[in-house]
Amino acid sequence: MTDLDARSREVFQRLVESFMETGEPVGSRTLSRRLSVTLSPATIRNVMADLEHEGLLYAPHPSAGRLPTEVGLRMFVNGLLEVGSIDTVESARIETQCQAAGRSLETMLEEAIGLLSGLSRCAGLVVAPKTDASVKHIEFVHLGPGRALVVIVTGNGVVENRVVEVPRGLPPSALVEASNYLNARLAERTLDEAREAILGELTDDRGLLDVLSRKVVAAGLATWSDERTGGALIVRGQSHLLEDVNAVQDLTRIRALFDALEAKEQVLRMLDLVNGAEGVQIFIGAENDLFTLAGCSMIVAPYQNSRREIVGAIGVVGPTRINYRRIVPLVDYTAKVIGRLIG
């Protein structure tokens, strides 16, 4: 960006901003109305020609205006993008939707990406924490007649809460005994291994401890992850990608993206892209192998457990002209809320 003079920089910035608003090629007359300085359409065309020569712009056909290339969009994001801040109404909505008390981790993540998809008008996706870690502790907390909160702490620092139904009239002491019963059988085992062990011991004529244990198993605390990868991918809001299709070629790209999203084992590589990274990562078009054919961008942020280890990622997928200024802080804030809640 430092190689561009002030005039070229402003023309480039206003062109990209116009493209993000409309998705249409931007002509010299449109730019002349957006610039802070007065330039003739001929001068603007000369500047645009220079930017095209540098590989930052291109013309979809000879008589059209100009569009930013993926290289141009990357330079805009790195050098000119002014990231906004999330407003108090949106932050309050995210906090409320993500509250995990009495709900499973899966439900909390689904609520989070559903809201993020709606706010960004993009497809939201999240990589859930792997559940192949050993169980460190499990505990029942009495909530009232017939209800108990199950708290599970895994060896990788993830905490999951879930409300389950228990026999009415069950004394609090039975919950303590149930916790001890399960902890003795869960030690150093994964949730799947513990589930199989408990199922092997349960019989129809056993007492309240087994009834309660059966409730925990039936709650499916360990059954929602992807068995092949150990992590889970949840995608919501694909329909948003169809709301702003400007041309047949855009529809073709969106279809290719849908195919990629269906191949979940490929999308789970998103976690690898952000592993060890700080904050929000932005992948534009071919920068991400997954979207080489889709012409889309992905904004994604990792979330961490209580030991500040990256255990998952959340983000959105949309066209390359998505509103980076607005969406980056949304993704960043949501990832931080999730990390705080699971920790």
Side-chain angles (χ1 to χ4, degrees):
M1 189 60 75
T2 57
D3 293 335
L4 299 180
D5 58 34
R7 185 173 63 180
S8 297
R9 190 179 300 114
E10 183 172 9
V11 168
F12 176 70
Q13 180 174 357
R14 302 309 174 199
L15 185 146
V16 175
E17 290 172 346
S18 179
F19 162 71
M20 289 182 176
E21 292 172 7
T22 66
E24 300 290 341
V26 184
S28 56
R29 292 189 180 277
T30 299
L31 281 176
S32 66
R33 295 191 293 267
R34 300 179 67 106
L35 297 175
S36 61
V37 295
T38 302
L39 296 176
S40 68
T43 300
I44 295 174
R45 283 194 293 270
N46 289 335
V47 174
M48 292 167 66
D50 292 339
L51 293 171
E52 185 173 1
H53 179 73
E54 295 295 332
L56 304 179
L57 304 178
Y58 75 98
H61 51 82
S63 61
R66 299 296 186 273
L67 294 171
T69 63
E70 289 182 357
V71 173
L73 282 173
R74 168 53 62 190
M75 193 170 76
F76 174 83
V77 167
N78 286 354
L80 293 174
L81 179 65
E82 297 176 1
V83 177
S85 59
I86 186 170
D87 65 42
T88 54
V89 174
E90 290 177 338
S91 62
R93 287 186 63 188
I94 293 173
E95 290 276 357
T96 301
Q97 291 289 104
C98 290
Q99 290 298 323
R103 295 188 294 180
S104 69
L105 176 62
E106 180 186 17
T107 301
M108 188 263 286
L109 293 176
E110 287 182 338
E111 293 283 352
I113 63 165
L115 178 59
L116 189 57
S117 173
L119 291 174
S120 65
R121 309 307 296 173
C122 296
L125 41 95
V126 62
V127 176
K130 295 180 180 181
T131 56
D132 57 359
S134 61
V135 176
K136 185 177 181 180
H137 184 72
I138 185 168
E139 185 174 351
F140 296 101
V141 179
H142 180 70
L143 295 180
R147 298 172 74 241
L149 175 67
V150 185
V151 182
I152 293 180
V153 183
T154 66
N156 61 5
V158 174
V159 179
E160 179 172 355
N161 303 319
R162 181 179 292 233
V163 174
V164 297
E165 295 181 1
V166 297
R168 286 185 171 271
L170 191 72
S173 60
L175 293 177
V176 176
E177 293 178 14
S179 299
N180 295 334
Y181 171 82
L182 288 175
N183 280 318
R185 288 156 177 79
L186 294 175
E188 303 304 322
R189 287 173 169 166
T190 68
L191 285 172
D192 285 335
E193 292 170 345
R195 179 175 179 271
E196 291 300 319
I198 294 170
L199 282 174
E201 294 185 12
L202 293 178
T203 58
D204 293 337
D205 60 351
R206 293 179 67 89
L208 288 177
L209 284 179
D210 295 331
V211 173
L212 188 54
S213 300
R214 194 177 292 114
K215 290 288 184 182
V216 176
V217 173
L221 293 172
T223 60
W224 64 280
S225 65
D226 190 303
E227 295 179 355
R228 293 169 300 171
T229 63
L233 172 75
I234 308 171
V235 182
R236 293 290 182 272
Q238 296 100 313
S239 60
H240 291 318
L241 298 175
L242 296 174
E243 293 177 352
D244 195 18
V245 175
N246 292 312
V248 175
Q249 59 266 32
D250 291 335
L251 183 59
T252 301
R253 290 173 176 175
I254 295 302
R255 286 173 176 163
L257 174 59
F258 282 175
D259 290 341
L261 290 177
E262 287 299 318
K264 292 188 175 184
E265 66 277 5
Q266 293 182 354
V267 186
L268 284 170
R269 289 182 300 163
M270 180 174 66
L271 182 58
D272 295 330
L273 295 175
V274 298
N275 190 24
E278 290 292 333
V280 179
Q281 303 294 302
I282 301 173
F283 301 94
I284 300 174
E287 292 177 349
N288 182 354
D289 292 340
L290 180 63
F291 303 135
T292 299
L293 299 178
C296 293
S297 288
M298 179 171 68
I299 301 175
V300 60
Y303 56 88
Q304 302 173 329
N305 60 18
S306 58
R307 297 201 299 268
R308 300 193 64 79
E309 299 168 335
I310 294 175
V311 294
I314 188 169
V316 300
V317 177
T320 53
R321 69 179 190 88
I322 57 179
N323 190 339
Y324 299 91
R325 178 181 291 109
R326 167 173 161 75
I327 296 175
V328 166
L330 285 175
V331 171
D332 183 47
Y333 188 81
T334 304
K336 290 177 180 176
V337 170
I338 291 174
R340 186 172 72 249
L341 290 175
I342 68 171

